Amino acid sequence: MGHVVAIANQKGGVGKTTTAINLAACLAAAGRKVLLVDLDPQGNATSGLGHSNRDDIEPTLYDVLLNETPASAALLDTPVDSLKLLPANSQLVGADVELVELAEREYRLRKCLEDVRGQFDHVFIDCPPSLSLLTVNGLTSAEGVLITIQCEYYALEGLTSLLGTIKQVRDSLNSGLRLEGVLMTMYQHTRLAREVVHDVRTYLGEKVYKTVIPRNVSLSEAPSFGKPAFLYAPRSVGAKAYIALAKEVATHG
């Protein structure tokens, strides 16, 4: 069965979707079979992997969660052969409200993924940047959580809050959930960034990945071309950083 990891942060703009796309793509390029689940109603992982017409896509994750469409029927190809996508679009906005009335609503995604999980080595879930019922579904479905943290002043404050959320989910909904790792993103060579990385490493030790993702123009541009960074700008420092992260993740299983 594929190892399921939720990529999460309750704050937006911290490299969460960029990490979901590029980590999944780099592992797939290395020969792993990978599924990326776009659980964010913004659908940025979907457009970032070449499906810019996301509002025209049928079926999507919304249909899988609420219309009993098998997940296997909604999978899309991506620019990387071994990487499949379970897409999302603006329809997913209404899922939070509609899920409330369903039995075992926190486990809906987990049950849906049983249809396809066995086909993959890795399953990554790109969670919304909020503590919504969709995010809870992502955390309940996962074995591990990968947290992305921007190298900025309030990083530790947001990290403490998210770790509290993970503990709550583990205590009440998913006892097997663990912290997969913490990834420092948008790093610049400033004193503040160095201090933030030092503080997070001191706080969490080996749970922090050795790889640090730099702030890089190519990482920002690649989604508009529907490609992961290693296909858009293979020599960029951003692409090289995610290749290094994929090797680190693969080494740890």
Side-chain angles (χ1 to χ4, degrees):
M1 298 291 282
H3 184 57
V4 183
V5 174
I7 300 178
N9 196 309
Q10 291 167 219
K11 180 182 179 183
V14 296
K16 178 180 58 61
T17 299
T18 297
T19 296
I21 291 173
N22 287 284
L23 175 56
C26 288
L27 283 168
R32 303 290 182 96
K33 294 180 179 179
V34 186
L35 171 63
L36 178 55
V37 180
D38 192 350
L39 192 57
D40 189 341
Q42 296 177 89
N44 289 335
T46 299
S47 60
L49 282 172
H51 298 279
S52 57
N53 61 332
R54 53 184 181 258
D55 283 336
D56 296 328
I57 296 172
E58 291 184 3
T60 66
L61 182 57
Y62 174 88
D63 300 292
V64 173
L65 289 173
L66 292 157
N67 295 336
E68 300 185 359
T69 300
S72 56
L75 299 186
L76 295 178
D77 292 332
T78 73
V80 185
D81 288 343
S82 295
L83 174 61
K84 299 297 182 182
L85 172 70
L86 188 49
N89 58 27
S90 57
Q91 272 190 306
L92 200 57
V93 172
D96 264 317
V97 176
E98 296 177 60
L99 283 170
V100 170
E101 299 180 355
L102 300 179
E104 297 188 313
R105 55 186 178 270
E106 299 92 349
Y107 297 95
R108 195 79 175 185
L109 178 61
R110 183 173 183 168
K111 291 182 178 179
C112 292
L113 289 179
E114 291 175 359
D115 176 39
V116 294
R117 183 179 169 186
Q119 302 173 27
F120 299 97
D121 300 309
H122 302 273
V123 178
F124 293 103
I125 302 171
D126 184 27
C127 295
S130 61
L131 184 56
S132 63
L133 190 49
L134 286 173
T135 300
V136 171
N137 263 266
L139 296 177
T140 304
S141 303
E143 298 164 86
V145 184
L146 191 161
I147 301 174
T148 57
I149 300 179
Q150 186 176 356
C151 298
E152 62 173 21
Y153 183 74
Y154 291 109
L156 278 175
E157 181 178 307
L159 175 61
T160 302
S161 175
L162 184 52
L163 290 175
T165 298
I166 293 170
K167 183 179 185 302
Q168 289 177 348
V169 172
R170 184 169 59 240
D171 291 345
S172 59
L173 296 168
N174 182 6
S175 60
L177 187 65
R178 65 185 179 89
L179 177 60
E180 190 81 11
V182 174
L183 178 66
M184 307 302 301
T185 65
M186 302 182 183
Y187 180 83
Q188 293 178 292
H189 292 284
T190 64
R191 179 179 176 180
L192 174 59
R194 289 192 295 270
E195 289 177 352
V196 170
V197 171
H198 176 269
D199 288 347
V200 174
R201 291 195 190 281
T202 300
Y203 183 46
L204 287 173
E206 294 183 357
K207 285 295 184 182
V208 183
Y209 292 107
K210 293 182 176 65
T211 303
V212 175
I213 306 301
R215 189 179 291 276
N216 177 245
V217 173
S218 294
L219 290 177
S220 301
E221 292 177 344
S224 65
F225 291 86
K227 297 178 180 180
F230 81 87
L231 289 179
Y232 171 70
R235 296 184 180 180
S236 67
V237 294
K240 291 177 180 178
Y242 276 110
I243 291 170
L245 176 65
K247 291 178 180 177
E248 194 173 347
V249 169
T251 300
H252 291 86

mmCIF file of all heavy atoms in Angstrom, residues 183-213:
data_model
loop_
_atom_site.group_PDB
_atom_site.id
_atom_site.type_symbol
_atom_site.label_atom_id
_atom_site.label_comp_id
_atom_site.label_asym_id
_atom_site.label_seq_id
_atom_site.Cartn_x
_atom_site.Cartn_y
_atom_site.Cartn_z
ATOM 1 N N LEU A 183 9.874 20.982 6.480
ATOM 2 C CA LEU A 183 10.676 21.506 5.370
ATOM 3 C C LEU A 183 10.733 23.027 5.438
ATOM 4 O O LEU A 183 9.697 23.693 5.436
ATOM 5 C CB LEU A 183 10.073 21.071 4.031
ATOM 6 C CG LEU A 183 10.765 21.585 2.772
ATOM 7 C CD1 LEU A 183 12.171 20.988 2.645
ATOM 8 C CD2 LEU A 183 9.924 21.265 1.530
ATOM 9 N N MET A 184 11.935 23.564 5.490
ATOM 10 C CA MET A 184 12.115 25.013 5.478
ATOM 11 C C MET A 184 12.103 25.501 4.033
ATOM 12 O O MET A 184 12.822 24.964 3.179
ATOM 13 C CB MET A 184 13.448 25.392 6.144
ATOM 14 C CG MET A 184 13.640 24.812 7.534
ATOM 15 S SD MET A 184 12.344 25.278 8.713
ATOM 16 C CE MET A 184 12.468 27.069 8.682
ATOM 17 N N THR A 185 11.275 26.494 3.737
ATOM 18 C CA THR A 185 11.100 26.982 2.368
ATOM 19 C C THR A 185 11.384 28.473 2.260
ATOM 20 O O THR A 185 11.455 29.190 3.265
ATOM 21 C CB THR A 185 9.667 26.722 1.875
ATOM 22 O OG1 THR A 185 8.748 27.499 2.666
ATOM 23 C CG2 THR A 185 9.293 25.251 1.995
ATOM 24 N N MET A 186 11.528 28.923 1.008
ATOM 25 C CA MET A 186 11.716 30.342 0.680
ATOM 26 C C MET A 186 12.899 30.951 1.433
ATOM 27 O O MET A 186 12.847 32.078 1.910
ATOM 28 C CB MET A 186 10.429 31.131 0.955
ATOM 29 C CG MET A 186 9.239 30.611 0.177
ATOM 30 S SD MET A 186 7.746 31.575 0.462
ATOM 31 C CE MET A 186 6.559 30.663 -0.519
ATOM 32 N N TYR A 187 13.972 30.167 1.507
ATOM 33 C CA TYR A 187 15.158 30.594 2.248
ATOM 34 C C TYR A 187 15.947 31.631 1.463
ATOM 35 O O TYR A 187 16.167 31.498 0.263
ATOM 36 C CB TYR A 187 16.057 29.385 2.539
ATOM 37 C CG TYR A 187 17.314 29.724 3.293
ATOM 38 C CD1 TYR A 187 17.297 29.843 4.680
ATOM 39 C CD2 TYR A 187 18.519 29.930 2.620
ATOM 40 C CE1 TYR A 187 18.454 30.152 5.382
ATOM 41 C CE2 TYR A 187 19.683 30.249 3.311
ATOM 42 C CZ TYR A 187 19.642 30.348 4.689
ATOM 43 O OH TYR A 187 20.778 30.669 5.380
ATOM 44 N N GLN A 188 16.367 32.681 2.162
ATOM 45 C CA GLN A 188 17.277 33.673 1.614
ATOM 46 C C GLN A 188 18.455 33.815 2.570
ATOM 47 O O GLN A 188 18.333 33.561 3.769
ATOM 48 C CB GLN A 188 16.579 35.032 1.445
ATOM 49 C CG GLN A 188 15.492 35.025 0.374
ATOM 50 C CD GLN A 188 14.787 36.368 0.276
ATOM 51 O OE1 GLN A 188 14.063 36.762 1.193
ATOM 52 N NE2 GLN A 188 14.988 37.069 -0.829
ATOM 53 N N HIS A 189 19.584 34.223 2.031
ATOM 54 C CA HIS A 189 20.789 34.305 2.866
ATOM 55 C C HIS A 189 20.773 35.589 3.696
ATOM 56 O O HIS A 189 21.504 36.543 3.438
ATOM 57 C CB HIS A 189 22.037 34.232 1.983
ATOM 58 C CG HIS A 189 22.219 32.896 1.340
ATOM 59 N ND1 HIS A 189 22.677 31.792 2.028
ATOM 60 C CD2 HIS A 189 21.970 32.476 0.075
ATOM 61 C CE1 HIS A 189 22.712 30.756 1.222
ATOM 62 N NE2 HIS A 189 22.284 31.131 0.024
ATOM 63 N N THR A 190 19.912 35.580 4.709
ATOM 64 C CA THR A 190 19.819 36.696 5.636
ATOM 65 C C THR A 190 20.013 36.177 7.058
ATOM 66 O O THR A 190 19.857 34.979 7.334
ATOM 67 C CB THR A 190 18.451 37.396 5.556
ATOM 68 O OG1 THR A 190 17.427 36.467 5.980
ATOM 69 C CG2 THR A 190 18.142 37.844 4.133
ATOM 70 N N ARG A 191 20.318 37.070 7.950
ATOM 71 C CA ARG A 191 20.516 36.684 9.347
ATOM 72 C C ARG A 191 19.229 36.101 9.926
ATOM 73 O O ARG A 191 19.264 35.101 10.646
ATOM 74 C CB ARG A 191 20.960 37.904 10.158
ATOM 75 C CG ARG A 191 21.177 37.602 11.635
ATOM 76 C CD ARG A 191 21.638 38.838 12.383
ATOM 77 N NE ARG A 191 21.754 38.576 13.810
ATOM 78 C CZ ARG A 191 22.132 39.490 14.703
ATOM 79 N NH1 ARG A 191 22.429 40.735 14.305
ATOM 80 N NH2 ARG A 191 22.199 39.182 15.980
ATOM 81 N N LEU A 192 18.089 36.722 9.612
ATOM 82 C CA LEU A 192 16.810 36.247 10.139
ATOM 83 C C LEU A 192 16.529 34.826 9.666
ATOM 84 O O LEU A 192 16.135 33.965 10.469
ATOM 85 C CB LEU A 192 15.680 37.173 9.692
ATOM 86 C CG LEU A 192 14.255 36.710 10.058
ATOM 87 C CD1 LEU A 192 14.107 36.561 11.570
ATOM 88 C CD2 LEU A 192 13.214 37.681 9.509
ATOM 89 N N ALA A 193 16.719 34.550 8.376
ATOM 90 C CA ALA A 193 16.450 33.212 7.846
ATOM 91 C C ALA A 193 17.338 32.171 8.527
ATOM 92 O O ALA A 193 16.876 31.078 8.884
ATOM 93 C CB ALA A 193 16.671 33.194 6.338
ATOM 94 N N ARG A 194 18.604 32.506 8.723
ATOM 95 C CA ARG A 194 19.518 31.569 9.392
ATOM 96 C C ARG A 194 19.061 31.300 10.830
ATOM 97 O O ARG A 194 19.118 30.165 11.305
ATOM 98 C CB ARG A 194 20.947 32.121 9.383
ATOM 99 C CG ARG A 194 21.598 32.091 7.994
ATOM 100 C CD ARG A 194 23.089 32.375 8.084
ATOM 101 N NE ARG A 194 23.367 33.730 8.566
ATOM 102 C CZ ARG A 194 23.498 34.784 7.774
ATOM 103 N NH1 ARG A 194 23.362 34.655 6.454
ATOM 104 N NH2 ARG A 194 23.768 35.981 8.281
ATOM 105 N N GLU A 195 18.601 32.338 11.503
ATOM 106 C CA GLU A 195 18.139 32.177 12.888
ATOM 107 C C GLU A 195 16.880 31.314 12.953
ATOM 108 O O GLU A 195 16.725 30.485 13.856
ATOM 109 C CB GLU A 195 17.877 33.547 13.513
ATOM 110 C CG GLU A 195 19.147 34.334 13.803
ATOM 111 C CD GLU A 195 18.856 35.729 14.358
ATOM 112 O OE1 GLU A 195 17.651 36.131 14.364
ATOM 113 O OE2 GLU A 195 19.805 36.422 14.771
ATOM 114 N N VAL A 196 15.969 31.517 11.988
ATOM 115 C CA VAL A 196 14.732 30.722 11.966
ATOM 116 C C VAL A 196 15.053 29.248 11.744
ATOM 117 O O VAL A 196 14.529 28.369 12.439
ATOM 118 C CB VAL A 196 13.766 31.239 10.871
ATOM 119 C CG1 VAL A 196 12.602 30.264 10.684
ATOM 120 C CG2 VAL A 196 13.237 32.617 11.243
ATOM 121 N N VAL A 197 15.920 28.958 10.778
ATOM 122 C CA VAL A 197 16.313 27.567 10.515
ATOM 123 C C VAL A 197 16.960 26.962 11.760
ATOM 124 O O VAL A 197 16.651 25.825 12.155
ATOM 125 C CB VAL A 197 17.269 27.483 9.312
ATOM 126 C CG1 VAL A 197 17.838 26.071 9.179
ATOM 127 C CG2 VAL A 197 16.548 27.884 8.032
ATOM 128 N N HIS A 198 17.833 27.716 12.404
ATOM 129 C CA HIS A 198 18.494 27.231 13.625
ATOM 130 C C HIS A 198 17.484 26.940 14.720
ATOM 131 O O HIS A 198 17.542 25.886 15.386
ATOM 132 C CB HIS A 198 19.514 28.266 14.109
ATOM 133 C CG HIS A 198 20.176 27.896 15.408
ATOM 134 N ND1 HIS A 198 19.676 28.295 16.643
ATOM 135 C CD2 HIS A 198 21.266 27.130 15.666
ATOM 136 C CE1 HIS A 198 20.435 27.806 17.596
ATOM 137 N NE2 HIS A 198 21.411 27.096 17.038
ATOM 138 N N ASP A 199 16.529 27.843 14.907
ATOM 139 C CA ASP A 199 15.526 27.671 15.967
ATOM 140 C C ASP A 199 14.649 26.442 15.713
ATOM 141 O O ASP A 199 14.350 25.678 16.632
ATOM 142 C CB ASP A 199 14.647 28.922 16.073
ATOM 143 C CG ASP A 199 15.397 30.115 16.677
ATOM 144 O OD1 ASP A 199 16.493 29.898 17.220
ATOM 145 O OD2 ASP A 199 14.880 31.236 16.578
ATOM 146 N N VAL A 200 14.215 26.263 14.458
ATOM 147 C CA VAL A 200 13.358 25.118 14.132
ATOM 148 C C VAL A 200 14.134 23.812 14.300
ATOM 149 O O VAL A 200 13.609 22.827 14.833
ATOM 150 C CB VAL A 200 12.786 25.252 12.705
ATOM 151 C CG1 VAL A 200 12.018 23.991 12.312
ATOM 152 C CG2 VAL A 200 11.861 26.472 12.615
ATOM 153 N N ARG A 201 15.396 23.786 13.874
ATOM 154 C CA ARG A 201 16.211 22.581 14.040
ATOM 155 C C ARG A 201 16.450 22.279 15.522
ATOM 156 O O ARG A 201 16.449 21.109 15.933
ATOM 157 C CB ARG A 201 17.550 22.731 13.312
ATOM 158 C CG ARG A 201 17.438 22.750 11.798
ATOM 159 C CD ARG A 201 18.802 22.538 11.149
ATOM 160 N NE ARG A 201 18.756 22.786 9.716
ATOM 161 C CZ ARG A 201 18.291 21.934 8.803
ATOM 162 N NH1 ARG A 201 17.806 20.773 9.204
ATOM 163 N NH2 ARG A 201 18.291 22.246 7.522
ATOM 164 N N THR A 202 16.631 23.313 16.320
ATOM 165 C CA THR A 202 16.822 23.124 17.759
ATOM 166 C C THR A 202 15.562 22.553 18.395
ATOM 167 O O THR A 202 15.626 21.687 19.282
ATOM 168 C CB THR A 202 17.190 24.464 18.432
ATOM 169 O OG1 THR A 202 18.406 24.963 17.853
ATOM 170 C CG2 THR A 202 17.379 24.289 19.932
ATOM 171 N N TYR A 203 14.406 23.008 17.925
ATOM 172 C CA TYR A 203 13.118 22.603 18.482
ATOM 173 C C TYR A 203 12.734 21.187 18.078
ATOM 174 O O TYR A 203 12.235 20.401 18.897
ATOM 175 C CB TYR A 203 12.067 23.611 18.015
ATOM 176 C CG TYR A 203 10.672 23.411 18.553
ATOM 177 C CD1 TYR A 203 10.436 23.153 19.903
ATOM 178 C CD2 TYR A 203 9.569 23.502 17.712
ATOM 179 C CE1 TYR A 203 9.152 22.985 20.391
ATOM 180 C CE2 TYR A 203 8.275 23.331 18.183
ATOM 181 C CZ TYR A 203 8.078 23.087 19.530
ATOM 182 O OH TYR A 203 6.804 22.906 20.012
ATOM 183 N N LEU A 204 12.998 20.822 16.819
ATOM 184 C CA LEU A 204 12.511 19.544 16.292
ATOM 185 C C LEU A 204 13.608 18.558 15.887
ATOM 186 O O LEU A 204 13.296 17.431 15.511
ATOM 187 C CB LEU A 204 11.590 19.797 15.103
ATOM 188 C CG LEU A 204 10.217 20.366 15.457
ATOM 189 C CD1 LEU A 204 9.456 20.742 14.199
ATOM 190 C CD2 LEU A 204 9.397 19.372 16.277
ATOM 191 N N GLY A 205 14.839 18.974 15.922
ATOM 192 C CA GLY A 205 15.946 18.060 15.681
ATOM 193 C C GLY A 205 15.901 17.384 14.323
ATOM 194 O O GLY A 205 15.776 18.027 13.278
ATOM 195 N N GLU A 206 15.987 16.045 14.327
ATOM 196 C CA GLU A 206 16.089 15.282 13.092
ATOM 197 C C GLU A 206 14.805 15.264 12.276
ATOM 198 O O GLU A 206 14.803 14.762 11.145
ATOM 199 C CB GLU A 206 16.520 13.845 13.405
ATOM 200 C CG GLU A 206 17.932 13.749 13.960
ATOM 201 C CD GLU A 206 18.355 12.312 14.189
ATOM 202 O OE1 GLU A 206 17.522 11.397 13.969
ATOM 203 O OE2 GLU A 206 19.512 12.100 14.586
ATOM 204 N N LYS A 207 13.718 15.770 12.834
ATOM 205 C CA LYS A 207 12.466 15.853 12.068
ATOM 206 C C LYS A 207 12.531 16.933 10.986
ATOM 207 O O LYS A 207 11.680 16.976 10.094
ATOM 208 C CB LYS A 207 11.287 16.137 12.999
ATOM 209 C CG LYS A 207 10.847 14.934 13.812
ATOM 210 C CD LYS A 207 10.296 13.820 12.925
ATOM 211 C CE LYS A 207 9.756 12.655 13.708
ATOM 212 N NZ LYS A 207 9.268 11.561 12.810
ATOM 213 N N VAL A 208 13.520 17.804 11.048
ATOM 214 C CA VAL A 208 13.675 18.854 10.035
ATOM 215 C C VAL A 208 14.565 18.321 8.916
ATOM 216 O O VAL A 208 15.669 17.823 9.160
ATOM 217 C CB VAL A 208 14.299 20.120 10.641
ATOM 218 C CG1 VAL A 208 14.383 21.230 9.587
ATOM 219 C CG2 VAL A 208 13.499 20.583 11.856
ATOM 220 N N TYR A 209 14.073 18.397 7.692
ATOM 221 C CA TYR A 209 14.855 17.909 6.552
ATOM 222 C C TYR A 209 16.155 18.694 6.405
ATOM 223 O O TYR A 209 16.199 19.908 6.656
ATOM 224 C CB TYR A 209 14.051 18.019 5.259
ATOM 225 C CG TYR A 209 12.874 17.082 5.201
ATOM 226 C CD1 TYR A 209 11.574 17.557 5.326
ATOM 227 C CD2 TYR A 209 13.058 15.707 5.033
ATOM 228 C CE1 TYR A 209 10.482 16.692 5.281
ATOM 229 C CE2 TYR A 209 11.979 14.837 4.982
ATOM 230 C CZ TYR A 209 10.696 15.337 5.113
ATOM 231 O OH TYR A 209 9.624 14.476 5.072
ATOM 232 N N LYS A 210 17.204 17.987 5.989
ATOM 233 C CA LYS A 210 18.489 18.658 5.748
ATOM 234 C C LYS A 210 18.363 19.619 4.573
ATOM 235 O O LYS A 210 18.990 20.680 4.559
ATOM 236 C CB LYS A 210 19.578 17.618 5.473
ATOM 237 C CG LYS A 210 19.932 16.745 6.667
ATOM 238 C CD LYS A 210 21.065 15.776 6.308
ATOM 239 C CE LYS A 210 21.493 14.964 7.524
ATOM 240 N NZ LYS A 210 20.428 14.066 7.997
ATOM 241 N N THR A 211 17.575 19.236 3.584
ATOM 242 C CA THR A 211 17.361 20.089 2.416
ATOM 243 C C THR A 211 16.572 21.334 2.803
ATOM 244 O O THR A 211 15.562 21.244 3.509
ATOM 245 C CB THR A 211 16.589 19.338 1.322
ATOM 246 O OG1 THR A 211 17.303 18.147 0.983
ATOM 247 C CG2 THR A 211 16.414 20.195 0.082
ATOM 248 N N VAL A 212 17.024 22.485 2.346
ATOM 249 C CA VAL A 212 16.321 23.751 2.535
ATOM 250 C C VAL A 212 15.980 24.293 1.144
ATOM 251 O O VAL A 212 16.843 24.335 0.262
ATOM 252 C CB VAL A 212 17.186 24.756 3.321
ATOM 253 C CG1 VAL A 212 16.490 26.117 3.417
ATOM 254 C CG2 VAL A 212 17.494 24.219 4.717
ATOM 255 N N ILE A 213 14.726 24.694 0.958
ATOM 256 C CA ILE A 213 14.282 25.171 -0.360
ATOM 257 C C ILE A 213 14.508 26.681 -0.458
ATOM 258 O O ILE A 213 13.980 27.446 0.355
ATOM 259 C CB ILE A 213 12.793 24.856 -0.594
ATOM 260 C CG1 ILE A 213 12.513 23.361 -0.373
ATOM 261 C CG2 ILE A 213 12.391 25.290 -2.003
ATOM 262 C CD1 ILE A 213 13.294 22.415 -1.264
#
